[in-house]
Amino acid sequence: MRLLLSLLLFISFLFSNTINPTQTYLASGGVTDLVLKKDLLYISTTASAVDVFDTKTSQLKESIKIPKIKDFIGDTIDSKIYSVDVIKNKVMFVSQGEKGFRSIYEYEEGKLKPIITIAKKMYIAKAKYLDENRIILGLLSNQLFVYDLKKKEFAWEIQVSHSKFSNFVLSEDKTEIIIADESGALKQISTKDGKVKKIYSGINVDNVFQVDYKNGIIITAGQDRRSAIYDGLNQYYKKADFLIYSAGLSPSGKIAGYANDEDNDIAIFNTKTKKDLYTLAGHKMTLTNILFKNEKELFSSSDGNEVYYWKLN
């Protein structure tokens, strides 16, 4: 009996740092991107919609719909929304267009208007606001553009590299952008003029699926099963058992999470000490986003329509 009790206590201790989600938000379709502004969670989906949830009440406040499109054989299908961003009362998102091209819409006060249409013949992967009048676009060809919404023209453009684009993230003050691509190297670029300021390399040796940048600290999600941390001279990686599709940092950069295994668990660790803190278990499909609200709360999403809210102990 004593041996059995000891074994049960050991198992309890072993799994004591495993956390289940506190809240689940059900989106219109597979989740592609998450943005949190104040208490509103904006969820872009594969189902021609951006769902807006009030996180105080956990209720759906609004679902922004865009027109469906025709595929290559003429069938009507949902338009996949690839990224979403918010500034003041404006919501902007990149969506799938006809003939394989991409469009950008802006939504304000119940009105939807196109910013960039498929007439531009651009394969836009992601777009974010620099300010109310400028947006920055990353293309699959790894070209970077800044577009002036008032002048309706491009302020500048660069070819970042000849590697396929994966992801980008802006610094908190939006003066810098970190580009991730299939080369494994990260490029830090000035949003003022497109000049490359720094290249981070030597840790990821294959495609970097995702990148986050908070308080001067960078984390990656790598195809090589490495989640790299660049923090000044403190550079290292955490090794996973499976391809790492998503990673994210808390506002301070001290707490991080990455997709850790084929069960779609999220490993939470301290970036300064490298110590593993928690395992977040519950996702059934491939992770798409890890978004920290603060040092103790975060949201995560997968290819499914579920967005989980987690509270760390």
Side-chain angles (χ1 to χ4, degrees):
M1 179 62 72
R2 186 174 296 176
L3 181 61
L4 179 60
L5 286 173
S6 298
L7 182 60
L8 289 172
L9 284 171
F10 174 75
I11 292 172
S12 175
F13 174 78
L14 188 64
F15 291 100
S16 62
N17 288 339
T18 297
I19 297 175
N20 295 318
T22 301
Q23 176 73 41
T24 301
Y25 298 88
L26 296 179
S28 301
V31 179
T32 56
D33 197 13
L34 299 176
V35 169
L36 182 67
K37 290 293 182 181
K38 295 183 179 178
D39 293 312
L40 296 180
L41 181 65
Y42 296 80
I43 306 172
S44 64
T45 75
T46 58
S48 304
V50 173
D51 297 326
V52 186
F53 282 88
D54 186 330
T55 59
K56 281 187 174 180
T57 64
S58 302
Q59 298 299 309
L60 178 67
K61 181 180 180 182
E62 185 178 14
S63 189
I64 305 167
K65 303 284 188 180
I66 64 170
K68 294 188 177 186
I69 61 172
K70 299 282 188 181
D71 65 12
F72 290 100
I73 60 174
D75 291 337
T76 300
I77 61 171
D78 278 317
S79 173
K80 179 179 179 179
I81 298 175
Y82 296 94
S83 75
V84 63
D85 201 18
V86 182
I87 190 167
K88 294 187 176 179
N89 295 321
K90 297 179 180 180
V91 184
M92 174 189 64
F93 41 90
V94 178
S95 66
Q96 179 183 2
E98 295 182 355
K99 300 179 181 178
F101 300 115
R102 309 284 173 83
S103 303
I104 297 182
Y105 286 94
E106 192 172 56
Y107 178 83
E108 185 179 13
E109 296 180 351
K111 295 180 180 179
L112 185 69
K113 68 176 181 180
I115 295 175
I116 293 177
T117 69
I118 63 169
K120 293 284 188 184
K121 297 183 177 180
M122 301 178 78
Y123 296 100
I124 306 164
K126 187 171 184 174
K128 295 290 178 181
Y129 283 108
L130 288 179
D131 52 46
E132 285 192 86
N133 299 316
R134 296 178 303 150
I135 59 175
I136 191 160
L137 326 174
L139 274 62
L140 293 176
S141 56
N142 219 359
Q143 292 171 281
L144 197 64
F145 292 80
V146 166
Y147 185 73
D148 191 303
L149 297 173
K150 280 193 172 180
K151 296 179 181 178
K152 297 183 179 180
E153 63 182 26
F154 293 104
W156 58 258
E157 64 178 91
I158 62 164
Q159 181 72 53
V160 178
S161 76
H162 294 292
S163 299
K164 181 178 175 293
F165 172 88
S166 293
N167 191 239
F168 74 63
V169 64
L170 287 165
S171 60
E172 294 98 319
D173 61 8
K174 300 189 178 183
T175 61
E176 298 171 344
I177 185 170
I178 306 290
I179 305 284
D181 57 40
E182 66 180 356
S183 72
L186 307 175
K187 288 81 178 176
Q188 182 177 322
I189 294 169
S190 167
T191 59
K192 179 182 178 181
D193 52 19
K195 298 289 179 65
V196 177
K197 299 176 69 175
K198 190 171 182 177
I199 296 176
Y200 298 87
S201 62
I203 299 183
N204 289 110
V205 295
D206 205 336
N207 185 27
V208 171
F209 293 120
Q210 213 171 81
V211 63
D212 199 9
Y213 183 40
K214 299 284 173 55
N215 196 29
I217 300 171
I218 298 171
I219 189 172
T220 68
Q223 185 172 326
D224 54 7
R225 306 183 184 187
R226 296 179 179 183
S227 180
I229 292 291
Y230 293 95
D231 180 13
L233 297 177
N234 186 27
Q235 300 181 7
Y236 63 93
Y237 66 87
K238 301 285 282 187
K239 187 73 173 176
D241 297 326
F242 196 64
L243 307 183
I244 304 174
Y245 286 105
S246 188
L249 290 166
S250 68
S252 71
K254 293 179 181 178
I255 306 298
Y258 65 96
N260 186 42
D261 53 37
E262 60 184 331
D263 292 325
N264 305 303
D265 292 339
I266 300 171
I268 303 294
F269 69 100
N270 185 305
T271 61
K272 301 296 184 180
T273 65
K274 308 179 188 179
K275 181 182 177 181
D276 294 327
L277 302 174
Y278 309 100
T279 296
L280 310 187
H283 279 294
K284 301 174 183 66
M285 300 180 73
T286 302
L287 271 292
T288 54
N289 294 277
I290 297 171
L291 173 65
F292 279 81
K293 180 180 181 180
N294 50 47
E295 304 302 303
K296 291 290 185 180
E297 299 172 276
L298 66 148
F299 299 89
S300 63
S301 64
S302 71
D303 285 333
N305 69 331
E306 296 174 326
V307 176
Y308 289 151
Y309 162 73
W310 311 84
K311 195 161 186 178
L312 307 179
N313 297 330

